[in-house]
Amino acid sequence: GESVGLHLPTLSVQEGDNSIINCAYSNSASDYFIWYKQESGKGPQFIIDIRSNMDKRQGQRVTVLLNKTVKHLSLQIAATQPGDSAVYFCAENPPSYKYIFGTGTRLKVLA
Amino acid sequence: DVKVTQSSRYLVKRTGEKVFLECVQDMDHENMFWYRQDPGLGLRLIYFSYDVKMKEKGDIPEGYSVSREKKERFSLILESASTNQTSMYLCASRGTGGNEQYFGPGTRLTVT
């Protein structure tokens, strides 16, 4: 099985409820942020991104909020579905080619 | 749609073997990356390439080398595999001027 999810914090939500996943980033110079979804046995999949000159960005059923004051990023998923069950992690991109990745949160959707 | 493919999904090798992991992208991206992913840790950068034959060490290059002979292909080489290199290996690519990285499906390598 997929071992990347071991030792991760887990968020359990009822199907249909909204989910909020949080991430603290480390570099105040980071100017671009991404949320990824990783299902068991698969590579990370891009969900949504945001630049540092914005504090909110909306996609289909997902919203990313950026609070630069406290270096905090959150991902909100509306009307969570069973297919949303996965590990979610954030990434920050300081002005360089490097990315800094969070360790992730496992989202479990309860039927 | 960007496609990043990796040569194997699962690989089992013996200690001391030379291991090649291949990655191919079809979007003419200049930048390609190799990461490893381990439980409880975020993705860690092994090597980065910003052009053909150009490479830079990432955060954990020890025990690894890379090859970029063609723009679309980036290979990760384990010269002499060790058990602590058992991990999930992820390749990614990114175009110049873009920020988003596109990942491959990963190769789960077990070294026994």
Side-chain angles (χ1 to χ4, degrees), chain A residues 66-106:
Chain A
L66 175 63
N67 184 332
K68 294 181 285 293
T69 305
V70 295
K71 294 192 287 186
H72 184 267
L73 201 61
S74 69
L75 176 71
Q76 300 178 359
I77 304 173
T80 312
Q81 302 168 359
D84 295 326
S85 292
V87 173
Y88 291 81
F89 58 89
C90 65
E92 58 180 298
N93 182 206
S96 75
Y97 63 84
K98 284 195 175 181
Y99 294 75
I100 304 168
F101 294 88
T103 52
T105 296
R106 175 182 292 284

Side-chain angles (χ1 to χ4, degrees), chain B residues 22-109:
Chain B
E22 304 283 338
C23 175
V24 177
Q25 49 94 6
D26 66 359
M27 281 300 291
D28 202 36
H29 283 169
E30 292 78 11
N31 306 294
M32 296 186 76
F33 305 77
W34 273 108
Y35 295 94
R36 64 177 282 175
Q37 185 177 36
D38 299 290
L41 302 174
L43 273 71
R44 293 181 292 167
L45 181 64
I46 304 171
Y47 266 99
F48 161 65
S49 170
Y50 52 92
D51 203 347
V52 175
K53 297 192 191 294
M54 308 305 284
K55 62 187 179 187
E56 280 201 27
K57 292 180 179 178
D59 299 317
I60 51 163
E62 296 78 21
Y64 304 94
S65 62
V66 290
S67 172
R68 185 118 181 250
E69 296 296 318
K70 292 186 177 181
K71 192 175 186 180
E72 67 271 17
R73 188 178 298 267
F74 191 33
S75 303
L76 180 69
I77 303 149
L78 286 67
E79 296 291 341
S80 177
S82 63
T83 54
N84 64 12
Q85 292 179 310
T86 291
S87 188
M88 168 74 105
Y89 290 87
L90 290 161
C91 175
S93 76
R94 189 190 76 191
T96 298
N99 290 96
E100 185 185 339
Q101 285 195 335
Y102 297 88
F103 283 90
T107 296
R108 179 160 295 285
L109 173 67

